[in-house]
Amino acid sequence: KIASIGVHARDWVTWHGFALNVSTDMAFFDLIVPCGIAGVTMTSIERETGSQAPMEGVREAVANAFGGVFGLKCGWSRGHSMALLDGDRVP
């Protein structure tokens, strides 16, 4: 398991999130049951490729892939959250 998507709804309000393990210390996952799935093996891009992926390149690839699926132009805010760029849709 290399990524997680979370959705929470309460009182007609929803929260959502996405996490991708890039160069995460996998030892932290020994302390929890990821997503409530017992026996799951967590991994990261670094573990799978054997080399450290540049975070800026990963961010750009994720934003482009997300935008491509939904027909949006996406980028990253200063708070490291993905955001629409000027709210524009890709033509």
Side-chain angles (χ1 to χ4, degrees), residues 9-76:
R10 186 182 69 187
D11 298 326
W12 300 99
V13 177
T14 60
W15 293 264
H16 55 277
F18 166 79
L20 174 64
N21 296 327
V22 178
S23 59
T24 308
D25 180 352
M26 295 291 112
F28 292 118
F29 291 103
D30 293 339
L31 305 173
I32 65 170
V33 177
C35 297
I37 305 170
V40 70
T41 301
M42 298 299 295
T43 191
S44 66
I45 292 173
E46 183 175 347
R47 180 183 276 179
E48 295 301 312
T49 64
S51 62
Q52 191 173 18
M55 189 58 77
E56 190 58 39
V58 172
R59 285 183 185 153
E60 185 177 333
V62 168
N64 288 339
F66 185 89
V69 168
F70 294 102
L72 303 169
K73 288 171 36 177
C74 297
W76 293 91

